[in-house]
Amino acid sequence: MRLHEYQAKEVFAEAGMPTPESALAESTDEVLDAAESIGYPVAVKAQVHVGGRGKAGGIELAESDDEAREAADSILGMDLKGYTVERVLVEQAVDFVDELYVGVTMDRGAGEPVAMVSSEGGVDIESVAEESPEAIAREHVDPAFGMHHYQANRAVYDAGVDREVASDVASVLTTLFDLWEDRDASEAEINPLMITGDDEVVAADAVMNIDDDALFRQPDLAEMEEAAAGDDLEAKANEYGFDYVRLDGNVGIIGNGAGLVMTTLDLVDYYGGEPANFLDIGGGAKAERVANALDMVFSDDNVDSVVFNLFGGITRGDEVARGINSAIEEFDELPKPVVVRLAGTNAEEGMEILNADALDVEQTLEGAVQRAVEQAGGAQ
Amino acid sequence: MSVLVDEDTRVVVQGITGGEGEFHAGQMMEYGTNVVAGAVPGRGGEEVHGVPVYDTVAGAAEAENADASVVLVPPAFAADAIFEALDSPVDLVVAITEGIPTQDMSRVKKRLGETDKHLVGPNCPGVITPGEAKLGILPGNIFSSGNVGLVSRSGTLTYQVVDNLTDRGLGQTTAIGIGGDPIIGTDFVDALSLFEADPATEAVVMCGEIGGSDEEEAARYIDENMDTPVAGFIAGRTAPAGKRMGHAGAIVSGSGAGTAESKIEALGDAGVPVGDTPEEVADNVEELL
């Protein structure tokens, strides 16, 4: 789960991180009120989950009421890479002389967290990592101990941060690491961490992604989660409890188990079709879940055919077949052709039970995928 | 011969009194696995499927001479259950639980490195030596005994590939589901080294997927250390960057790390044929043998 900038800054400020004064606004009037109470100049920043907001016109500086009104009018309601901007953060503009990067993430290869500092802040850190990896100082942290203070210092000195602010930057990194750990973050970063002419350090941006699997013990953060605003189908998938990713093609895909569903997508592509989605219905195949999954793919206008590939595993194929039959009973006629393939325990019994009048039944995964590609208009 | 588990493996099931634990303990026993005890705090003295339950893993392992445990407890308690097993006499821990917080696994991994035990998983289907023992939730009936080792990050994809192998009469020594999480115990290199050392394993199938760099490291290991031939499969060729494809670990980052292309290329360079379809994986195994 990704926090919005304003949410992450609330969490940062609570932990004592230096952040600029700011307020959330949903209308031009609210922007003007906020700007007046904070004092010009202010930055007006779109609150949507997309990278590169600045370049896309989602961040503007305002030095007067007129400029603030103009910024609010242009940003509120704008479409930013497919997301409509409904809220902006109005924030005290920081007069900076230098920009740094600090971040904490899990190094999955090493199996432990890594804290990072770079003197090249304010730009896309992934391109810094690729073009000049030596510009980022990295410090791996023993997850059993947490970050020692000397490690924060070492990262800051290794990154070549100015001596005047080194101690404050190390303290920001320590706070960031503790937040990362306490709040079960997968990533926490500040880019840029601004240095002012008076040698003050200020977190001008805030990124915090929380481990979905840990939300059960972060109830206040879980409450900040909002329905996915970008895509109605993704919101629906969330409601049904499916793992779902929408793609651009026209062959709808339903299956169980992430690896097998990914493989089904790959096979659609291999046989010349284009996958419309990834949909993992998880273990078992109760009629209700099957019906919900069909509802998902049927309500995607891009879908022309559906391949339903289930590997029974512990769940028996005959039970799965009964689930599918009862789920399709509610349709007089299926709105889109559905190809089904069952495998695993009692798969043969299952295939015999399946309602072959309404469904295309195929024996193999490869056969089912080829049939669905055909039904969707053939290889592209 | 086999790796990790065989007919002599004596198993403790952690969480045996829960719904999942009880069901799968029964399934394991039906398959012939030597389940000797359960471990659930506060439930010591009870019996499940005729097997005694102990309050602690150490208590169960000492009393019943167990050498492996299967973790079937809910995600909020799973890391603690793994720590407990690592701190008991068992040598092998198979963690089935899905949804363990990544930071918990980071601490588990650290502790694991201080022991010489094996952890398989979490978020995995388990380990099976066909005809001898299964530790986990794999459907035993699709496996058959033979000379092919299998290691995979995904459950149902494993079943699909095993189905194709079994159909051709290509039986398995042992199949290991290592799990789809970002931080796991046994990784590809660990599993491959076990198969390399097993004289009964004459070929290995390795099923990887997008995300991380485990497959690339495995390719390097195969190139430098393995005589046993390996056939590969990589899921997620069509996955878009930045989207988590079901598994927490299956994500291609914005900078392009962890792509299927990079993994397929690395394996190809190590002389591993990578099938375009599960059917082709079985073709490749036939050829390697």
Side-chain angles (χ1 to χ4, degrees), chain A residues 108 111 130 142-143 180-181 185 211 213 216-217 256-260 263 265-267 269-270 311 314 341 366, chain B residues 23 76 99 101-104 106-107 110 137 154 156-157 159-160 233 236-238 245 249 255 276-277 279-280:
Chain A
R108 59 188 278 183
E130 264 168 39
D142 184 329
W180 180 88
E181 193 178 43
D211 180 0
D213 288 335
F216 71 88
R217 60 188 180 198
N256 64 331
L260 189 55
T263 299
L265 262 68
D266 295 348
L267 288 180
D269 177 70
Y270 179 74
F311 207 107
I314 295 294
R341 178 260 184 169
E366 287 84 354
Chain B
F23 175 75
T102 307
Q103 293 197 15
D104 290 3
S106 170
R107 293 178 193 109
K110 178 78 189 172
I137 61 174
S154 157
T156 47
L157 175 58
Y159 310 160
Q160 172 66 48
F233 185 77
R237 297 171 193 232
T238 47
M245 304 300 274
S255 62
D276 285 324
T277 68
E279 207 44 70
E280 244 183 72

Side-chain angles (χ1 to χ4, degrees), chain A residues 159-173:
Chain A
V161 172
D162 280 347
R163 308 195 68 81
E164 288 71 27
V165 293
S167 157
D168 286 346
V169 175
S171 144
V172 163
L173 183 59

Side-chain angles (χ1 to χ4, degrees), chain A residues 32-57:
Chain A
L32 289 169
D33 287 349
E36 190 167 331
S37 87
I38 292 166
Y40 290 102
V42 295
V44 180
K45 305 162 94 175
Q47 298 297 292
V48 284
H49 291 310
V50 296
R53 283 175 305 171
K55 275 187 200 150

